[in-house]
Each structure stands twice: as structure tokens, then as C-alpha cells.
Amino acid sequence: MTMVYSDFRSDTVTRPTEKMRKAMAEALVGDDVHGDDPTVNELERLAAETMGKEAALFCPSGTMANAIAVKMWTGPLEEVIVEERAHIYNMESTHMTFLSGVTPRPLRSNRGAMDPADVAAAVRKPNVHTPRTTLVCLENTHNNWGGSVLPLDNFKAIRGIADEHGLKVHLDGARIFNASVASGVPVRDYAREVDSLQFCLSKALSAPVGSVLVAGRERIEFARRLRKALGGGMRQVGVLAAPGLIAMTEMVDRLAEDHVRAKALARGIAGLPGVKIDPESVETDIVIFGFDHPALTVEAMIGKMKEKGILALAIYGGIRMVTHKDVDDEDVERAIRAFREILA
Ligand code: TLP
């Protein structure tokens, strides 16, 4: 018998809804490299409006959107301040050095929120020896801090430091809608504090592909040229923008369910032998916990869970599990049961 898995590896594993598939089949399309795909144009218009920015660019992935953002704000001999666990620094295969030729300057943080004083102290004084600091990157929610939500006040304080030193601020808002649903802060309030942001349609919002980069009109025109240079110019890509529109208009409110399930999962496994988690620290859809067991390594534990039909990922010496549209209460109960049986 083939195993049916409850897949908690990421919120990227979501399948498009029936409505998305229908919209893909029926999408009006044109050639987006010539700027005349009406569905892409509508997605970019909606994204810019939602974020309160002038313009937007549909990109094939969050990684490409972040890479374009770094490239469009920096030049040679420059440095970018990043949080030490940031996705843009740890999980995007060094595009900062490879494509932009800039050095990342990682800073410690409180669950993803860098101390504004540390940011100010990290800005290089102009000097022949050192790179010039020109960009700060934020991430909200913060993936590798277990989906933590950065406080709006932290954005404001870092914006203030950036203005004082003439720096730009880019937000990796892959899961900015999760942050907004959890905090009640409208996405455009976070967006107001940054010069650019990218958000992903293909994570918890369940579209199959794509991210959108938003910023001022002139920068997005340049970003469009950068996307072309990276091979990201796509043709009849309205077929992918169509589910993206549904992601933005119909899939945001349900994120609250994912957050409730993530907390339930954390509560269900807290206190089991080896599991190190404070369920109260789970704010959105990502559950990351330490695992330290005398008889089981993280890899062995993940292997045993897989035998019971539960998929999870190893990360930072611990385990990551993410809730999303395609796992329900039964999947969460099944996961908790599996943990209890294995660790009994
Ligand atoms: N994150 C993926 C993996 O890379 C780990 C995931 O499963 O969570 N920013 C953030 C905060 C992300 O979490 C991700 C993807 C990206 C950017 C990159 O997006 P894609 O995968 O579309 O390039």
C-alpha cells in the first residue's frame, strides 16, 4: 500500500486550488516581456496598490526577487547589513557575492529583530579600507526564527537609522501576509518603512509559482531590466499570474487557521522527551524546535516520522514543521500521535 504523507516540510508544498487551476486554464495572456500580458499587469497593479508603492514586478521566485533587490540598490565595493539567520544570507546560494559583488554583514538579533543600535554601529565609516554600507535587509515573518513576527516599531527604528546614514532598506516579505494576519498590522504599514519588498505567492498563499517585488517606479523599471538579464523575462505568464491574483485576494484570511494549527502542534509535542519548544513562541505557521535525545539524532527522528507518514525537515540542529492549506486538524493530530509513539 502506498503511504499518504502529511507533509509539514514547508508551506511551499501547497497545491493550487481548483479555482486557481481553472483561472490558469482561462487566463487572458499576452507577451509579458513586451509588457502586454493583461493578467500579469493586473497582478502587478494589485501588488503595488496593496503595498502602497508605485510599481511591482512579477518574478519567478523569491530568491530572484531578493537578488534583483540587492542588485538594484547596491554597487561595487559595498556592504549589506543582514540578520545572521536571514534567508537572503543563508539560503539563497550567495547571490549577494555572486551576482551583486557585495559583502553581507550579519548581525545578531532578538528572534529576527536586529537592535537598531547594532545596525547603527555596523554602518561603516567612509574609509579607503572598508566597504561602503548601503543597504539593510529585513525579513518578516522570519523563517529561521520559527516564523517570528518583527514588531512594526523595530521597522520604524531601523528606518530612522537608515535615513540618518543614507541607507536603503529591503524587506524579504516572503511571508508578510502571515505577519500581518498574526499582528493585525496592515501589510502597507510594514511596506511604508522600507524602500522595496518582495512577497511570495507560492508559499502559504498556495499559488504554484511566483513572487512580486514592489518599489518606486524608476527602480522597478531598472529591476525589469535586471530580471531580463537574469533570464527571468517570461512570456505568456498570465497563466501563473492568474493563480497569484487568487492568492492575494482569497487566500490571506485563511492563514489564521495555519497559525492556530501550528500552535496546536507545538502544544501537542512540548514536553516530550528530547523536544525543546516553548509553544508560546509560535506566532505564525512555522514550528522550529530543538531536538536532543539520548538515543535518536535529528535525522533518525525525521526518518522514524517518515515511516509513520509525517514529513518534516532538519534545520539548525533541530526540526522544522510548517502548517499550510494542505494539512488539516487530522494531520496535526496524526503528527502529535507519531511523536508520542516514537518518543514513548
Ligand atoms: N524558503 C523555503 C526554503 O528555501 C527553506 C522554505 O521552504 O521556507 N525568503 C524567505 C523568507 C523564504 O522562506 C524563502 C523560501 C525565500 C525567500 C525564497 O523563495 P523561493 O523559494 O521562491 O526562491
Side-chain angles (χ1 to χ4, degrees):
M1 210 176 71
T2 50
M3 175 78 88
V4 178
Y5 290 103
S6 300
D7 192 346
F8 289 94
R9 287 171 302 166
S10 180
D11 50 7
T12 60
V13 304
T14 48
R15 307 253 156 69
T17 62
E18 279 312 306
K19 193 164 175 186
M20 285 178 176
R21 287 189 182 273
K22 189 158 183 289
M24 291 171 82
E26 294 171 359
L28 291 178
V29 295
D31 189 329
D32 182 50
V33 173
H34 293 291
D36 54 32
D37 186 306
T39 312
V40 174
N41 291 344
E42 174 54 14
L43 177 69
E44 291 178 348
R45 189 204 60 73
L46 179 68
E49 181 190 276
T50 305
M51 297 300 170
K53 296 279 188 228
E54 285 174 0
L57 181 72
F58 186 39
C59 295
S61 67
T63 301
M64 190 187 284
N66 280 335
I68 290 172
V70 173
K71 188 77 185 166
M72 79 184 185
W73 291 126
T74 61
L77 314 183
E78 293 182 356
E79 186 166 79
V80 178
I81 294 175
V82 294
E83 193 279 330
E84 68 175 353
R85 289 193 186 183
H87 196 279
I88 203 166
Y89 170 53
N90 293 284
M91 298 169 98
E92 297 181 12
S93 294
T94 70
H95 62 67
M96 282 196 190
T97 48
F98 179 57
L99 296 173
S100 293
V102 292
T103 43
R105 178 82 182 272
L107 300 188
R108 294 235 163 95
S109 75
N110 175 18
R111 293 181 46 77
M114 293 178 284
D115 186 327
D118 291 346
V119 175
V123 178
R124 306 267 193 184
K125 307 284 171 288
N127 180 312
V128 71
H129 305 288
T130 54
R132 196 63 60 87
T133 312
T134 45
L135 180 66
V136 182
C137 292
L138 306 178
E139 184 176 321
N140 198 20
T141 63
H142 200 298
N143 184 344
N144 287 333
W145 282 101
S148 61
V149 180
L150 268 60
L152 184 59
D153 280 351
N154 185 250
F155 273 67
K156 290 185 174 166
I158 290 176
R159 171 81 267 167
I161 302 290
D163 288 345
E164 239 172 75
H165 297 274
L167 316 179
K168 299 296 181 192
V169 182
H170 170 68
L171 169 62
D172 178 354
R175 297 182 179 82
I176 193 64
F177 287 100
N178 291 84
S180 175
V181 164
S183 65
V185 174
V187 284
R188 62 162 55 207
D189 288 12
Y190 293 117
R192 189 177 300 121
E193 306 303 328
V194 300
D195 298 288
S196 61
L197 77 93
Q198 76 86 15
F199 65 93
C200 293
L201 301 162
S202 61
K203 303 205 160 57
L205 298 182
S206 306
V209 176
S211 288
V212 188
L213 177 66
V214 295
R217 188 166 314 283
E218 176 273 328
R219 271 301 86 177
I220 290 296
E221 273 167 26
F222 184 49
R224 199 172 289 280
R225 294 179 59 208
L226 291 171
R227 186 188 66 176
K228 187 69 170 72
L230 294 173
M234 302 174 285
R235 303 293 180 174
Q236 284 70 39
V237 71
V239 294
L240 296 179
L245 277 165
I246 294 174
M248 282 193 72
T249 52
E250 297 183 26
M251 304 301 283
V252 172
D253 290 344
R254 61 155 307 287
L255 297 177
E257 284 176 38
D258 300 341
H259 301 175
V260 169
R261 289 198 180 102
K263 182 138 346 225
L265 174 63
R267 287 193 174 129
I269 62 174
L272 290 174
V275 173
K276 304 204 173 316
I277 188 164
D278 170 10
E280 295 320 304
S281 71
V282 175
E283 296 174 78
T284 57
D285 61 340
I286 302 177
V287 183
I288 292 180
F289 53 95
F291 185 72
D292 184 13
H293 191 277
L296 282 172
T297 62
V298 165
E299 285 68 26
M301 181 64 193
I302 285 177
K304 285 198 176 294
M305 280 157 61
K306 187 169 180 185
E307 283 166 21
K308 292 188 179 286
I310 308 297
L311 301 182
L313 282 183
I315 188 169
Y316 281 111
I319 296 178
R320 178 174 100 141
M321 298 178 74
V322 187
T323 53
H324 52 77
K325 170 181 77 63
D326 296 338
V327 289
D328 61 14
D329 290 340
E330 270 179 45
D331 293 295
V332 170
E333 280 161 29
R334 185 185 184 202
I336 294 170
R337 232 181 5 255
F339 269 94
R340 292 197 173 140
E341 285 166 13
I342 296 165
L343 299 173

